[in-house]
Amino acid sequence: MLVLITYDVNVTTDLGKSRLRRVAKQCVNYGQRVQNSVFECLVDPTQFAELKHRLESIVDPNTDSLRYYFLGSNWKNRVEHFGAKVGYDPEGVLML
Amino acid sequence: MRRLLNTLYVTLPDAYLACDGENVLVKVDNEIRFRVPVHNLEGIVCFGFAGASPKLMYLCCERGVALSFLNEYGKFMGRITGNVSGNVLLRRTQYRWADDKEISVRLSRRFIAAKIINSRAVLHRALRDHGKVVDNKALEYAMACLARMPERLEKALDGNTVRGIEGEAAHLYFSNFNQLIVSQKDGFPIFGRNRRPPTDRVNALLSFLYTLLSHEVAAALESVGLDPQVGFLHRDRPGRQSLALDVMEELRPHFADRLAVTLINRNQISEAGFVVKENGAVIMSDETRKEVLTSWQKRKQEEITHPYLEEKIPLGLVPYVQALLLARHLRGDLEDYPPFFWK
C-alpha cells in the first residue's frame, strides 16, 4: 500500500532541528521524498507499523505533528503530479 | 502469496551502487542519480558497471535481495548471496534425489514434457493469430509431432533418452521459429538455435532473455531453500546452475520466446538495434537492451491464473511458485511436481 506521510516539526529550538532531521531520515528509509516534508512510502502493513513507531518515538506531540494518508494498493489513479520534481513509480520499471 | 517486488536494472556503465541507511543509491561521478528504499526491491541487476560498495552488498545479503552482475552484453558474471538459506533437510533430500537415477528421470520428464507442450502452444498461437501468412502445413506438422512426444517421454527410462527427445523437440520447434516472425522478416532471420556467440539477431535476443530468466529462477529456488546448482536433468558442473536450468525449461517458451516474437512483430526493436562483430557474433545495442528490459519488466507484472494453484498471480511470481511446488514435492507434501503449462 502507498502511504503519504507529511509532518510539521517545530524548529525554533536546536532540539527541534535535530528531531526534524531524524524524522526526515526515517521517512527517506521507507519511501521517496516528493516534496519538502512530504513522503510517499510503498510499504506493507508491518513495515508501516515499524515506521510509525519510529516516527512517533522521535516527535514531540506538544509541538510537532504527523499526518498519514492511506492511498491503498490501487494508488496510481489517486495521485496526479504537476510541475517540477517528478518522482519515480516504485512499482514501474526501474532502469538507469 | 508473496508480493512481487521490483527489480532495479543499472545499465549506466559508470554507475556506482552504494547505500545510505535503508536506501540503495545509484551514483554517477559521486552525484546521486537515484535513490530507492531496499524493501521495494527484490533484485538488482547490473550491466557493465563501475562498482558497488561492500556496505550495499551487506544490505542486499541481509534483506535477501539478489544482486547480480552481468557484463555489458548481458552475460552472467556473478551474484552476491548471503547465507545459504532454508532447510538443510530439504537440500539433503534434493541431493539424494539428484543421485537417484529413477527420481531424476521422472522429474526430468516433467520439465521436458511441459517445455514441449508450451513450445507447441507458442506455435499454435502463431497459427491462430497469423494463419493467413504462415506455412500452415509445416506448423501443423511440427505441432502434431510435438504433441506425440510427451507420450514417448513417459516411456523414457534414462536421462539420455529424455535429452534425446528434448533435442528433437527443440530442433523441430526452432526450425519453425522463423514462421512466428511476421513483420521485419528480412531483419530477423532465424534458422535454428545457436549461441556462444549467437550469430543472428533472434538468437542474440533469445540468449539475453534466457539469461534474465535464469537469474530469476535461480533467485526463486534459493528463496525457497533449494540449491540451484544441483539439478535432475542437467548434471552437475562447476559454476552451472543446473536446477535453475531444469526449472527454466518449462518457462522458456512462454516467458522468453513469446516475448522475443512480440518485440519483433510489434516493431519495438529493429534490425539496426544490433551490432554484428567481425567474428559473426551479434550483440544488442544499449537502446535495444533497454527496450527489452522494459518490456520484460512490464511482462512480469501481467496477471495470470496459475494453472495448478488456480490463483491470480503476476507472471513474475511464476518462477517462485514453481520453486515452491518443487520444494513441496521434495518435502513429500505433493505426490508429484506439477510443471507450468500455458495454453
Side-chain angles (χ1 to χ4, degrees), chain A residues 7-27:
Chain A
Y7 52 77
D8 240 342
V9 178
N10 186 322
V11 287
T12 49
T13 61
D14 278 351
L15 265 177
K17 280 178 192 157
S18 133
R19 287 203 303 275
L20 178 71
R21 274 198 304 275
R22 279 159 63 209
V23 168
K25 196 168 186 178
Q26 287 309 325
C27 289

Side-chain angles (χ1 to χ4, degrees), chain B residues 53-80:
Chain B
S53 76
K55 204 170 165 211
L56 175 81
M57 297 181 193
Y58 182 96
L59 184 73
C60 287
C61 292
E62 195 183 47
R63 301 306 172 84
V65 176
L67 175 60
S68 307
F69 299 112
L70 276 58
N71 75 3
E72 65 265 47
Y73 308 124
K75 185 176 173 239
F76 180 81
M77 305 305 281
R79 194 172 67 220
I80 307 282

Side-chain angles (χ1 to χ4, degrees), chain A residues 1 28-31 42-43 47 88 90-96, chain B residues 6 9 11-12 22-23 26 34-37 39-40 290 294 301:
Chain A
M1 61 176 180
V28 171
N29 277 342
Y30 285 84
L42 188 69
V43 286
Q47 288 163 339
Y88 66 90
E91 286 179 334
V93 179
L94 297 182
M95 195 176 2
L96 286 161
Chain B
N6 218 328
Y9 292 96
T11 61
L12 298 169
E22 311 266 305
N23 283 184
V26 182
F34 191 67
R35 170 192 280 279
V36 62
H39 68 246
N40 288 153
K290 277 194 178 169
T294 309
Q301 283 162 355

Side-chain angles (χ1 to χ4, degrees), chain B residues 94-128:
Chain B
Q94 184 192 344
Y95 299 151
R96 279 194 204 107
W97 283 23
D99 286 337
D100 185 317
K101 235 177 107 189
E102 214 168 287
I103 299 180
S104 290
V105 172
R106 183 169 58 80
L107 283 172
S108 305
R109 286 201 299 250
R110 294 285 167 277
F111 300 133
I112 297 306
K115 180 188 185 181
I116 294 174
I117 303 280
N118 289 339
S119 308
R120 186 181 171 275
V122 171
L123 298 182
H124 190 194
R125 179 74 182 259
L127 199 60
R128 213 170 53 202

